[in-house]
């Protein structure tokens, strides 16, 4: 019988932010697969290492041109264990719903066998942690909000949102912040290296924006 | 010495979706405060009841005109315990970052004492659970997305988003879905009574939209 695959969001970096469900799944599977490479840096596996009793296998998810081939090869590695009847977990930083490599793997696995049993276990997003650490709500009452990777100027200029959250704004943070201010976003707060030892949170005025940071989140409000 | 206040997101309805951190906090505080009344129906306290060892106190958060007075009265109840040196947790469905009564309570508490020690513990959002159950990503790669309570037609018509998530679309779901289809959103999926026994998830075509449902989430994609 084919094993079951769990896609487990392990939260943004603090192992205490694992859910009880994630813990129960990870303690009971036969293999844990974790992303390695430039979009994770092995963070996910470090979060769960002390909680698992089974072997783990790192899968490379490169951001470059060979992405599609790599995903296919990864799907075959995972499927081999599943077809041996092993239950497997694919762990991933944050939550599975947004900006997550799992979906590419999932598509490839469904190409191999569309009857595969898959369960997705949600995790804490970096948005939730940024809001918690900054003590700033993302949206209240009947407010809409949007989440934008990098600087989408059209959305900033649309005047449709009181709150915009930027994830991964690694490019040109200075220009992004200038554009936000031009469009009436006066309350701009940042979180950097969230959940890590050298994390920094606070008002945009306290940051050197000319430095590029991998884990930077902006919550901008009118 | 003043006690510490924890605002704890307990996730969307399944006690397994509590984080380890939430559990640790709830097991160690002196009092748990939970919302009651029409915006929660006691769901939050039911999620944690089996995990806590301390007394809990229900706080009424009415949606009506007396809201401001009630929040003030609730803040005084919480502050009384904190000023007795008791550590307290305010629990809340889902995550604290979006559409959460905690922020009103927080403002009132800061009015009483701006040096209050507060820690926010993030929780799983209903968005994350809806994506997980439907097995549909909310956003990938450099896609933006937005979260809209009720039907904001301006955002639907803006043509800025491939994905729109609607929370609490209790009003006129039929009209909302018609407007989405008109604007090119062809892949429309719903989750109802998420995390409850009679939960229903699937394509919009499988739902009777003339019925109004409290816990309805829509993920619409172009």
């Amino acid at each position: 019988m084919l094993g079951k695959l769990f896609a487990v969001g392990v939260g943004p970096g603090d192992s205490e932010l694992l859910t009880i469900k994630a813990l129960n799944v990870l303690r009971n599977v036969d293999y844990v697969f974790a992303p390695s490479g430039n979009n994770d840096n092995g963070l996910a596996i470090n979060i769960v290492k002390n909680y698992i009793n089974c072997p783990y296998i790192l899968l490379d998810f490169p951001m470059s041109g060979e992405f599609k081939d790599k995903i296919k090869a990864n799907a075959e590695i995972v499927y081999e264990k599943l077809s041996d009847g092993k239950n497997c977990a694919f762990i991933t930083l944050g939550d599975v719903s947004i900006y997550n490599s799992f979906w590419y793997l999932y598509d490839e696995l469904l190409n191999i066998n569309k009857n595969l049993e898959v369960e997705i276990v949600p995790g804490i997003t970096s948005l939730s942690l940024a809001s918690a650490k900054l003590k700033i709500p993302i949206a209240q009452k009947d407010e809409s909000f949007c989440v934008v990777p990098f600087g989408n100027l059209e959305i900033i200029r649309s005047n449709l949102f009181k709150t915009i959250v930027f994830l991964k704004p690694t490019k040109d943070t200075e220009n992004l912040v200038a554009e936000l201010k031009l469009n009436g976003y006066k309350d701009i707060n940042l979180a950097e290296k969230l959940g890590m030892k050298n994390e920094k949170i606070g008002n945009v005025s306290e940051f050197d924006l000319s430095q590029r940071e991998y884990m930077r989140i902006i919550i901008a409000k009118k």
Side-chain angles (χ1 to χ4, degrees), chain A:
Chain A
M1 215 185 97
L2 208 62
K4 181 173 173 178
L5 178 65
F6 297 87
V8 180
V10 298
D14 174 351
S15 58
E16 271 210 302
L17 292 180
L18 273 171
T19 64
I20 299 169
K21 187 173 187 92
L23 202 60
N24 287 341
V25 166
L26 293 172
R27 280 182 175 155
N28 288 296
V29 289
D30 302 301
Y31 288 94
V32 168
F33 292 94
S36 72
N38 51 9
N39 61 341
D40 181 286
N41 292 314
L43 283 170
I45 193 66
N46 283 328
I47 294 173
V48 307
K49 247 180 192 166
N50 293 332
Y51 294 113
I52 61 176
N53 316 306
C54 68
Y56 66 85
I57 298 166
L58 295 178
L59 299 176
D60 187 27
F61 283 81
M63 284 288 134
S64 62
E66 48 173 346
F67 184 75
K68 186 106 184 114
D69 291 341
K70 266 287 181 190
I71 297 288
K72 216 167 171 172
N74 289 340
E76 279 159 17
I77 295 169
V78 175
Y79 192 74
E80 197 194 317
K81 298 297 181 196
L82 294 169
S83 57
D84 279 350
K86 306 295 184 191
N87 294 322
C88 299
F90 175 82
I91 61 168
T92 182
L93 273 185
D95 181 40
V96 189
S97 67
I98 52 171
Y99 312 122
N100 205 296
S101 306
F102 169 72
W103 301 100
Y104 305 105
L105 188 72
Y106 182 51
D107 283 345
E108 285 297 335
L109 284 164
L110 290 184
N111 280 342
I112 301 173
N113 185 338
K114 69 176 172 46
N115 296 316
L116 193 66
E117 196 187 353
V118 174
E119 183 175 339
I120 299 174
V121 180
I124 300 292
T125 64
S126 55
L127 278 72
S128 295
L129 186 59
S131 162
K133 294 265 180 154
L134 286 162
K135 298 197 180 81
I136 294 171
I138 290 177
Q140 289 175 284
K141 282 191 266 188
D142 58 351
E143 294 170 10
S144 300
F145 71 96
C146 64
V147 178
V148 182
F150 314 107
N152 183 321
L153 301 187
E154 219 186 337
I155 291 174
I156 298 172
R157 290 169 184 163
S158 74
N159 201 27
L160 285 170
F161 297 95
K162 190 186 163 188
T163 304
I164 306 184
V165 180
F166 295 90
L167 293 186
K168 314 183 242 170
T170 45
K171 291 185 201 160
D172 286 333
T173 312
E174 281 177 305
N175 281 338
L176 177 65
V177 168
E179 187 71 28
L180 282 167
K181 285 181 178 169
L182 259 179
N183 285 277
Y185 293 91
K186 288 192 181 77
D187 182 14
I188 305 175
N189 289 277
L190 267 75
E192 261 178 22
K193 301 191 187 77
L194 205 60
M196 297 177 197
K197 272 176 204 155
N198 49 353
E199 126 186 323
K200 185 178 173 187
I201 56 167
N203 189 274
V204 67
S205 59
E206 300 158 31
F207 290 78
D208 176 4
L209 301 182
S210 67
Q211 300 296 315
R212 296 190 176 193
E213 290 293 342
Y214 175 59
M215 304 288 262
R216 192 179 263 168
I217 292 174
I218 296 178
I219 300 179
K221 280 184 184 283
K222 286 207 180 190

